[in-house]
């Protein structure tokens, strides 16, 4: 009897089964690895991307032509708590600082203001939610060498992990970033912003960026990942 009672007690107070950790953006983007890849429209020339971690919380990504690699432009991202922030990017021999004046996170029609973190854009959640969410950011980009300011609006929808596939790598699990970018670059002062980009990018778990890209602004374009590697 005592042995049986002890067994019951052991079962009652046993630790619950361990639950799988929630996926994080790094599982998909591989932003804190020296990861790289190529993507191309079917039958056409390839383009390339590569992450270059700078510290435990900072990384930069470059996009460009593998023939003339490395490119002169790199986007700078910082992990802060449960967010990945966009600070700005290098290019044209200078640095472009991106700072938001208004940000919100939306679940359906319900939007909540995001508290500022040094003015940097809250680009994507680090812990990947199980449901889609939207981000709205408005602010300015300042060219450090000249002080020129451009106003922008960046609308994003981040899709929850879902099945995806492409011709080279078959069935995978992806998160999808659908984004619309508008700005007043090159327009007369006081002009309304114009939409310059609308696209969706699938990011595959364990592989990285640009698993598939579908763009319709400024022009229709489709590309899929053809290679992934660590450098």
């Amino acid at each position: 009897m005592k042995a049986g009672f002890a067994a019951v007690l052991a079962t009652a107070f046993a630790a619950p089964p361990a639950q799988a950790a929630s996926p994080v953006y790094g599982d998909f983007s591989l932003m804190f690895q020296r990861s790289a890849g190529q993507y191309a429209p079917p039958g056409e020339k390839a383009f390339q991307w590569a992450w270059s971690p700078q510290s435990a919380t900072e990384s930069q990504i470059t996009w460009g032509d593998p023939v003339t690699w490395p490119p002169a432009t790199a986007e700078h991202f910082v992990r802060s708590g449960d967010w990945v922030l966009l600070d700005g990017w290098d290019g044209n021999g200078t640095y472009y600082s991106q700072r938001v004046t208004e940000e919100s996170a939306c679940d359906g029609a319900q939007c909540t203001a995001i508290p500022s973190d040094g003015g940097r854009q809250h680009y994507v959640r680090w812990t990947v939610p199980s449901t889609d969410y939207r981000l709205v950011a408005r602010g300015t980009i300042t060219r450090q060498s000249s002080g020129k300011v451009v106003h922008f609006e960046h609308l994003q929808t981040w899709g929850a992990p879902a099945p995806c596939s492409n011709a080279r790598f078959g069935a995978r699990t992806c998160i999808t970033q659908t984004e619309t970018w508008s700005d007043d670059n090159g327009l007369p002062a006081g002009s309304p912003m114009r939409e310059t980009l609308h696209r969706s990018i699938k990011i595959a778990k364990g592989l990285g960026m640009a698993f598939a890209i579908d763009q319709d602004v400024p022009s229709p374009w489709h590309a899929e990942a053809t290679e992934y590697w660590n450098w």
Side-chain angles (χ1 to χ4, degrees):
M1 290 292 291
K2 288 183 178 180
F5 183 63
V8 170
L9 283 178
T11 301
F13 290 97
Q19 294 184 346
S22 298
V24 297
Y25 180 67
D27 296 334
F28 293 83
S29 66
L30 307 187
M31 69 176 290
F32 289 114
Q33 299 181 34
R34 291 171 56 165
S35 57
Q38 291 188 352
Y39 57 100
E44 297 184 22
K45 67 170 289 185
F47 297 89
Q48 187 165 305
W49 61 269
W51 282 108
S52 178
Q54 305 297 298
S55 71
T57 58
E58 299 181 26
S59 191
Q60 61 186 33
I61 188 170
T62 49
W63 302 82
D65 186 337
V67 175
T68 56
W69 197 266
T73 299
E75 296 175 285
H76 293 258
F77 290 90
V78 179
R79 182 187 170 192
S80 178
D82 202 39
W83 287 96
V84 175
L85 310 175
L86 174 59
D87 182 79
W89 60 90
D90 296 296
N92 301 314
T94 187
Y95 191 74
Y96 296 83
S97 297
Q98 182 168 310
R99 294 295 179 262
V100 294
T101 55
E102 176 187 350
E103 278 190 296
S104 57
C106 304
D107 181 7
Q110 183 72 31
C111 294
T112 304
I114 303 174
S116 177
D117 190 336
R120 297 169 295 187
Q121 182 185 351
H122 290 76
Y123 192 83
V124 61
R125 293 186 184 276
W126 179 251
T127 303
V128 176
S130 58
T131 57
D132 299 355
Y133 65 98
R134 293 185 296 117
L135 298 174
V136 178
R138 300 181 181 93
T140 59
I141 300 163
T142 303
R143 180 172 179 162
Q144 296 301 305
S145 61
S146 65
K148 178 183 177 181
V149 174
V150 170
H151 299 85
F152 77 90
E153 177 183 73
H154 192 201
L155 310 178
Q156 299 185 88
T157 298
W158 285 93
C164 57
S165 65
N166 78 6
R168 172 70 173 81
F169 293 97
R172 301 286 174 163
T173 299
C174 292
I175 55 174
T176 301
Q177 176 200 29
T178 301
E179 62 178 339
T180 302
W181 178 274
S182 302
D183 61 42
D184 62 0
N185 187 33
L187 299 177
S191 298
M193 289 184 282
R194 62 185 171 192
E195 182 180 320
T196 60
L197 179 68
H198 182 266
R199 67 182 177 186
S200 293
I201 301 179
K202 294 188 183 300
I203 306 171
K205 188 174 184 179
L207 290 178
M209 309 296 288
F211 185 75
I213 301 175
D214 286 286
Q215 173 184 287
D216 51 33
V217 176
S219 59
W221 193 74
H222 173 78
E224 295 187 358
T226 56
E227 300 290 341
Y228 288 107
W229 68 91
N230 287 331
W231 58 277

